[in-house]
Amino acid sequence: MANQSIFDTINKKFRRTRFGKLVSGYQQLREANYISSHFSTYLEPVLAVDDTLRESVYKIRHNVYCDELAFEPVKESGLETDEFDAYSRHCLIRHIGSNEMAGTVRAVRPLEAHQQLPIEKYCLSSITREDLSPVRFKRHEICEISRLAVPKYFRRRRSDDFDGSAVGAINPVTYSETELRCFPFIAVGLYFAAAASALEFGVKHAYVMMEPRLARSMGYVGIKFQQIGPVVNYHGKRAPYYINRPLLEGSLKPGFAAMLEEIRLNLRHQIPNMPEEKEDYLRQFIKD
């Protein structure tokens, strides 16, 4: 025990040195590149283009926002929906091995003058950067990334006690170590999926209400959200954040830039293939 204590002390002091920080940074970069390169081996983005997939979205949201977090009331239907879903694009992340959906997110895409972002309806006063307020831009140029939800069983580690088998949760023992290491990046994949969807349709300004610690976590992979207001009490302590294409693409680490591009190409192939369908699908995003 004494030797272990001495080793821990030396290790901590080494990590504080310039060389130690360099080694640590290199190890983190290797880990990030490893995870991003293996992401598509175990997980894939899915655009919710039909009612069945959208129902999967609403079920996951109900499990997380109603059953688990109690942010919204439990609904008899088991589906969590709101007024913004009518003009949103929903994305999912599918676990390839089990075919289970590992998370969902939406990009709220107003097109008409009366359609608002959630941040405009509930938290507009929290935005102190008036030059970046969504009210300053055309409706089709903005979106809000919201309702990100990852089922509990995809947030579990192998070392956790498995207490969800009675309700059909997936036992984490069934996953490989590499898969488990990918799971913390599901949230990154979801943000990338929402960003890819927005980029495909020419959105210039994106907003999100999130916890500052999540923004810091996203900064680790190079997603540099710009805080545009103070922390407020909205489903917990959250702040308004802004990002655009230059901010996103200009700061991503190489491994994650490749991951974003792969997700973008994957989603592009999921847009309706018939020419007339695709034209109608795209036209809604280029109205003035």
Side-chain angles (χ1 to χ4, degrees):
M1 292 294 291
N3 289 338
Q4 182 64 38
S5 178
I6 293 172
F7 176 79
D8 289 341
T9 301
I10 294 173
N11 193 34
K12 288 178 181 178
K13 289 183 177 180
F14 171 75
R15 288 201 300 267
R16 294 193 189 106
T17 67
R18 180 176 297 181
F19 182 68
K21 291 178 180 178
L22 182 63
V23 171
S24 177
Y26 174 70
Q27 291 172 337
Q28 289 178 348
L29 180 60
R30 285 187 59 191
E31 175 74 2
N33 288 338
Y34 176 82
I35 293 297
S36 59
S37 66
H38 282 71
F39 185 89
S40 60
T41 302
Y42 304 106
L43 302 161
E44 65 175 354
V46 177
L47 196 61
V49 295
D50 58 40
D51 291 340
T52 300
L53 288 171
R54 282 189 286 271
E55 184 170 300
S56 295
V57 167
Y58 303 145
K59 283 182 178 179
I60 292 173
R61 281 168 34 180
H62 191 276
N63 289 341
V64 173
Y65 286 97
C66 303
D67 294 333
E68 182 181 348
L69 300 177
F71 284 162
E72 302 290 345
V74 173
K75 300 179 181 179
E76 187 175 346
S77 65
L79 307 177
E80 195 281 313
T81 62
D82 63 23
E83 63 188 282
F84 304 105
D85 289 320
Y87 48 97
S88 296
R89 288 296 156 196
H90 303 277
C91 298
L92 295 139
I93 294 291
R94 189 203 316 268
H95 176 245
I96 296 172
S98 66
N99 205 37
E100 293 283 343
M101 294 302 179
T104 182
V105 70
R106 72 180 178 188
V108 182
R109 311 286 302 282
L111 300 172
E112 307 295 340
H114 67 278
Q115 294 175 335
Q116 291 182 298
L117 300 176
I119 198 172
E120 291 179 293
K121 183 170 182 178
Y122 299 112
C123 303
L124 188 60
S125 61
S126 70
I127 297 176
T128 55
R129 282 288 305 273
E130 293 186 5
D131 58 316
L132 295 179
S133 173
V135 301
R136 298 181 65 88
F137 306 116
K138 294 179 180 179
R139 293 288 90 184
H140 70 270
E141 293 180 343
I142 63 175
C143 79
E144 181 174 345
I145 301 171
S146 70
R147 282 300 196 265
L148 185 146
V150 178
K152 186 176 181 180
Y153 45 80
F154 278 101
R155 304 196 306 267
R156 300 179 64 84
R157 292 290 191 176
R158 184 184 294 274
S159 59
D160 291 340
D161 292 331
F162 179 60
D163 58 2
S165 58
V167 293
I170 298 174
N171 192 330
V173 175
T174 64
Y175 299 125
S176 69
E177 288 291 348
T178 305
E179 287 176 293
L180 288 171
R181 291 169 70 194
C182 283
F183 288 174
F185 286 83
I186 290 174
V188 176
L190 287 168
Y191 274 115
F192 279 174
S197 173
L199 290 173
E200 282 301 298
F201 299 110
V203 170
K204 298 179 180 179
H205 312 279
Y207 300 85
V208 59
M209 288 291 296
M210 63 179 167
E211 298 178 9
R213 64 178 179 177
L214 178 56
R216 290 192 294 270
S217 297
M218 293 298 104
Y220 165 67
V221 304
I223 305 178
K224 302 294 186 180
F225 287 100
Q226 185 173 349
Q227 188 170 340
I228 56 174
V231 174
V232 296
N233 189 13
Y234 177 70
H235 293 323
K237 299 296 184 181
R238 299 172 184 267
Y241 288 87
Y242 167 89
I243 196 167
N244 56 27
R245 184 169 185 166
L247 285 173
L248 174 65
E249 296 183 335
S251 57
L252 279 179
K253 294 180 179 179
F256 288 102
M259 179 177 164
L260 171 60
E261 184 61 20
E262 186 168 353
I263 288 175
R264 185 176 180 180
L265 291 174
N266 194 315
L267 292 180
R268 183 179 297 169
H269 293 313
Q270 297 178 39
I271 296 173
N273 292 319
M274 294 297 291
E276 62 274 14
E277 290 181 356
K278 190 165 185 176
E279 184 178 347
D280 290 341
Y281 190 81
L282 294 173
R283 188 183 296 118
Q284 62 180 308
F285 298 106
I286 56 176
K287 292 179 181 179
D288 288 323

